[in-house]
């Protein structure tokens, strides 16, 4: 069983920052891509940021310039640094990984942006 464990969610004021982490079982180099998705109540789950095995990154237009995805192969961890947070960023954030064409998901971590 592939395990993805997220951490770092919580409550933050608008304009604040949070750093989410996703630790995977085994080497993250075994995954062709790792990514962060988010889902707000009543909405679909959307891609926020992704990084491939080769190091290519992709961001949703709504977070470009504010969020940064990174990886630490030694710690088997992918992180999402979120700056200048807005109320519309509030959602459940999920870690995703792809290996041999199969998708794996973490249980999610909640991010709340409110004064």
């Amino acid at each position: 069983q592939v395990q993805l464990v997220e951490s770092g969610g919580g409550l933050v004021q608008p304009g604040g920052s949070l750093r989410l982490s996703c630790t995977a079982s085994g080497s993250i180099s075994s995954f062709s891509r790792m990514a962060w998705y988010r889902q707000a109540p009543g909405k679909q789950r959307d891609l926020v940021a992704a990084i491939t095995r080769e190091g290519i990154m992709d961001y949703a237009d709504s977070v470009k310039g504010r969020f940064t995805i990174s990886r630490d192969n030694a710690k088997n961890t992918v992180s999402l640094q979120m700056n200048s947070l807005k109320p519309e960023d509030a959602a459940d954030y999920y870690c995703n990984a792809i290996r041999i064409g199969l998708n794996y998901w973490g249980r999610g971590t909640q991010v709340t942006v409110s004064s």
Side-chain angles (χ1 to χ4, degrees):
Q1 289 277 358
V2 171
Q3 296 182 47
L4 303 173
V5 181
E6 301 107 330
S7 63
L11 173 65
V12 64
Q13 294 183 348
S17 298
L18 282 175
R19 185 176 179 87
L20 307 182
S21 295
C22 171
T23 301
S25 56
S27 174
I28 62 172
S29 295
S30 69
F31 298 102
S32 60
R33 191 195 76 159
M34 299 194 72
W36 287 95
Y37 287 74
R38 68 186 181 188
Q39 186 171 25
K43 296 185 177 180
Q44 68 179 32
R45 187 174 299 185
D46 293 325
L47 176 70
V48 177
I51 183 167
T52 69
R53 183 191 292 115
E54 296 74 28
I56 305 300
M57 292 172 282
D58 186 36
Y59 297 93
D61 288 341
S62 59
V63 307
K64 193 170 296 183
R66 299 188 297 121
F67 291 11
T68 303
I69 190 169
S70 62
R71 67 186 182 192
D72 187 334
N73 290 343
K75 297 181 179 179
N76 296 324
T77 297
V78 171
S79 298
L80 184 69
Q81 178 67 44
M82 305 185 294
N83 298 327
S84 302
L85 283 161
K86 305 174 180 179
E88 52 262 43
D89 294 319
D92 290 330
Y93 283 71
Y94 297 88
C95 183
N96 167 261
I98 300 174
R99 187 176 70 194
I100 320 177
L102 298 178
N103 275 278
Y104 301 93
W105 295 92
R107 293 182 178 180
T109 185
Q110 187 175 62
V111 172
T112 303
V113 185
S114 179
S115 298

